[in-house]
Amino acid sequence: MNKCYEYFLRLLTRREYSAAELQKKATEKGFPPEDITPALEQLQNYDYQSDRRLVSGLITAAEGKYGKSVVWRKCYTKGINRDLFEEIWSATIPEADSPEEQWQELREKVQRRYKITSFQNLDPKTKGKIANFLQYRGFKPWEMLNLWQQEDHDRES
């Protein structure tokens, strides 16, 4: 167990790992399961490894850049369960920002990035770029574009 614990400490000095990632790395390295479990428990008792802290850091780093689905996929690949992610997501993302305010911020960011003033009559190339931009960040691009086009139409009317 001691060598496994030291191996985990070496890994954790570089970056945060989930418990599942550490377990996978130790198994690949050839440590027996009876050494891995106590080493992980000891790390968690000393708070050297925390899935909660990892998820919170991922959410904070992605806030304002990526949507919930992108962050969830990243957590999923690290072996984080959905309940823990949802709990931390709701506690980390500010409740004050309504979805409409978040969409408005995203709209302004897209307008600045692509130097557009209106979403009416976009050329297909720009529309495709905006759709890729939104989709990469975990948003539903065509829903957002239709919403913004409708808002522009309502403002002009």
Side-chain angles (χ1 to χ4, degrees):
M1 181 195 105
N2 201 17
K3 287 190 185 273
C4 186
Y5 180 77
E6 290 172 5
Y7 175 66
F8 287 156
L9 282 177
R10 266 195 319 275
L11 290 174
L12 289 168
T13 57
R14 293 183 192 99
R15 71 172 183 89
E16 289 278 351
Y17 285 89
S18 69
E21 286 178 305
L22 288 174
Q23 193 164 15
K24 182 180 177 202
K25 283 187 160 292
T27 303
E28 289 171 354
K29 189 86 169 170
F31 289 105
E34 56 270 6
D35 287 351
I36 297 171
T37 305
L40 265 176
E41 288 173 358
Q42 188 175 1
L43 287 169
Q44 290 169 341
N45 287 340
Y46 289 133
D47 202 30
Y48 294 156
Q49 190 282 323
S50 169
D51 284 349
R52 296 181 80 73
R53 186 173 56 234
L54 173 69
V55 172
S56 180
L58 290 171
I59 290 171
T60 303
E63 189 175 359
K65 299 176 193 168
Y66 300 102
K68 185 176 182 179
S69 62
V70 171
V71 181
W72 160 240
R73 279 194 304 271
K74 188 165 190 165
C75 288
Y76 178 77
T77 61
K78 294 180 177 292
I80 304 297
N81 74 38
R82 185 69 183 216
D83 294 336
L84 178 64
F85 172 77
E86 289 293 340
E87 175 187 335
I88 296 172
W89 177 270
S90 62
T92 305
I93 299 301
E95 299 286 329
D97 287 352
S98 68
E100 290 79 19
E101 291 172 346
Q102 292 172 354
W103 293 333
Q104 187 61 34
E105 288 176 26
L106 181 63
R107 176 190 169 107
E108 291 166 2
K109 186 182 288 187
V110 168
Q111 285 179 312
R112 279 192 310 271
R113 181 179 180 110
Y114 296 100
K115 298 173 180 67
I116 55 177
T117 56
S118 172
F119 288 92
Q120 296 292 323
N121 304 322
L122 287 174
D123 64 281
K125 187 176 180 180
T126 304
K127 193 180 266 191
K129 286 180 181 181
I130 293 171
N132 287 339
F133 176 83
L134 294 170
Q135 189 169 17
Y136 179 76
R137 285 157 180 77
F139 300 99
K140 296 178 180 172
W142 302 115
E143 285 182 21
M144 300 301 290
L145 281 170
N146 289 337
L147 173 73
W148 294 338
Q149 286 173 341
Q150 185 63 42
E151 286 177 358
D152 284 354
H153 180 72
D154 293 346
R155 284 184 192 155
E156 292 173 3
S157 301

